Amino acid sequence: MEASKTPFTKEMRLATRDIHNVSDTLVNTKLAFALYDKTVWAEGLLIFYEIFKFLEQHVGYEFLPEDFHRTHQFEQDLQFYLGHDWNTKYRPRKEVLSYVDHLKELERENPILLVAYVYHLYMGLLSGGQILQKRKNISQKLNPFASRNSSAGAALTTFEEHSIYQLKKTMRKIFDDLGERLDDETRAQLVDESRKVFELNNEIIRTVSGVNRANLKLLVYVLIFVLAYFTLRILF
């Protein structure tokens, strides 16, 4: 009797563990301490906007159900942070265009490989994206000038009609079922392309600017908070 294959989603996770860790470190270095800074947060949205939009326009519902689509939510948040006319001034940076060119090439030559991007990007949004949003909400509390409405500018990470747990479960099932139907060569190609996902993600994340400025502002806010705390202790 033929041994059952490793679940496809587990195979992809294992194959990308090392470069995924590099990506996590890069995100933390670039964004984690600047989450309250709307300019940096907006840059983070902009670098991934074109990628998600391309996938939602070119991958069928079989692998990317409409419940997962986020293009409209990206645009809502970008309008919140950058203003109603954000798309009239916006031009994708060259690293993002290179990323999209790679996706177009896959669509021409071997479109099934696009699903590697679907799995890793949307699972990332459902996992790391949720963590980043929670950190952002906490950082707003440290910023005395920030809005206290944590839902403002958070459309991308808000899935009101679906639980995050159920969405993850659905995504895993889609790709584990796919893995069962694939021949070994295509399965191996998708695993290899999974590493390319993180390589391209890292390239565009490195383009996010303003982090040092944002971190300096955070330090100022923390000092203000500490000084205010001890001043109140002395007075009362």
Side-chain angles (χ1 to χ4, degrees), residues 171-201:
M171 183 65 74
R172 289 191 189 102
K173 184 176 189 322
I174 288 171
F175 284 88
D176 283 336
D177 288 350
L178 171 65
E180 289 294 322
R181 303 194 301 269
L182 293 175
D183 59 77
D184 289 341
E185 181 182 359
T186 305
R187 189 169 163 128
Q189 287 176 329
L190 269 169
V191 170
D192 288 342
E193 192 66 32
S194 291
R195 294 186 61 83
K196 185 69 174 179
V197 176
F198 291 100
E199 290 173 8
L200 291 173
N201 287 351

Side-chain angles (χ1 to χ4, degrees), residues 13-23 195:
R13 287 197 306 274
L14 290 174
T16 58
R17 180 179 292 171
D18 57 336
I19 193 166
H20 194 166
N21 289 339
V22 172
S23 187
R195 294 186 61 83

Side-chain angles (χ1 to χ4, degrees), residues 23-234:
S23 187
D24 287 345
T25 300
L26 185 59
V27 168
N28 284 327
T29 301
K30 276 282 185 181
L31 299 177
F33 297 106
L35 294 177
Y36 67 92
D37 186 294
K38 69 177 185 178
T39 303
V40 177
W41 186 261
E43 277 209 46
L45 294 173
L46 281 173
I47 61 173
F48 282 104
Y49 167 65
E50 297 291 342
I51 313 306
F52 278 77
K53 183 171 72 171
F54 181 91
L55 292 172
E56 289 168 15
Q57 291 176 343
H58 296 268
V59 176
Y61 290 163
E62 178 185 3
F63 301 118
L64 183 50
E66 194 170 8
D67 290 343
F68 289 88
H69 284 204
R70 295 280 96 188
T71 297
H72 177 63
Q73 287 76 13
F74 265 104
E75 292 168 352
Q76 279 184 286
D77 286 351
L78 287 166
Q79 180 175 306
F80 174 81
Y81 289 110
L82 301 178
H84 290 277
D85 61 344
W86 71 271
N87 56 348
T88 65
K89 302 175 289 185
Y90 159 66
R91 295 292 180 274
R93 58 199 71 188
K94 63 181 179 63
E95 291 84 359
V96 172
L97 293 175
S98 294
Y99 197 142
V100 173
D101 284 344
H102 179 71
L103 297 180
K104 289 177 179 178
E105 182 180 359
L106 291 182
E107 186 181 30
R108 287 192 303 269
E109 298 182 359
N110 198 356
I112 191 62
L113 297 185
L114 287 176
V115 303
Y117 294 83
V118 171
Y119 178 75
H120 292 294
L121 288 172
Y122 286 83
M123 286 298 285
L125 181 61
L126 293 168
S127 298
Q130 297 296 313
I131 294 171
L132 285 175
Q133 185 61 56
K134 289 176 182 177
R135 290 181 182 177
K136 185 174 183 293
N137 294 343
I138 293 171
S139 67
Q140 283 183 313
K141 295 177 182 179
L142 291 175
N143 182 348
F145 307 107
S147 166
R148 293 297 176 258
N149 181 5
S150 61
S151 64
L156 179 62
T157 52
T158 303
F159 294 82
E160 294 178 349
E161 298 179 3
H162 308 278
S163 75
I164 299 300
Y165 170 80
Q166 188 58 48
L167 287 169
K168 287 182 178 180
K169 185 177 178 181
T170 299
M171 183 65 74
R172 289 191 189 102
K173 184 176 189 322
I174 288 171
F175 284 88
D176 283 336
D177 288 350
L178 171 65
E180 289 294 322
R181 303 194 301 269
L182 293 175
D183 59 77
D184 289 341
E185 181 182 359
T186 305
R187 189 169 163 128
Q189 287 176 329
L190 269 169
V191 170
D192 288 342
E193 192 66 32
S194 291
R195 294 186 61 83
K196 185 69 174 179
V197 176
F198 291 100
E199 290 173 8
L200 291 173
N201 287 351
N202 292 347
E203 286 181 16
I204 61 175
I205 291 169
R206 288 189 181 97
T207 70
V208 174
S209 60
V211 175
N212 290 337
R213 179 197 69 244
N215 290 342
L216 180 59
K217 286 170 67 177
L218 176 60
L219 178 60
V220 170
Y221 293 146
V222 171
L223 288 174
I224 290 172
F225 177 81
V226 171
L227 288 172
Y229 172 79
F230 282 107
T231 299
L232 289 173
R233 287 286 299 272
I234 292 170

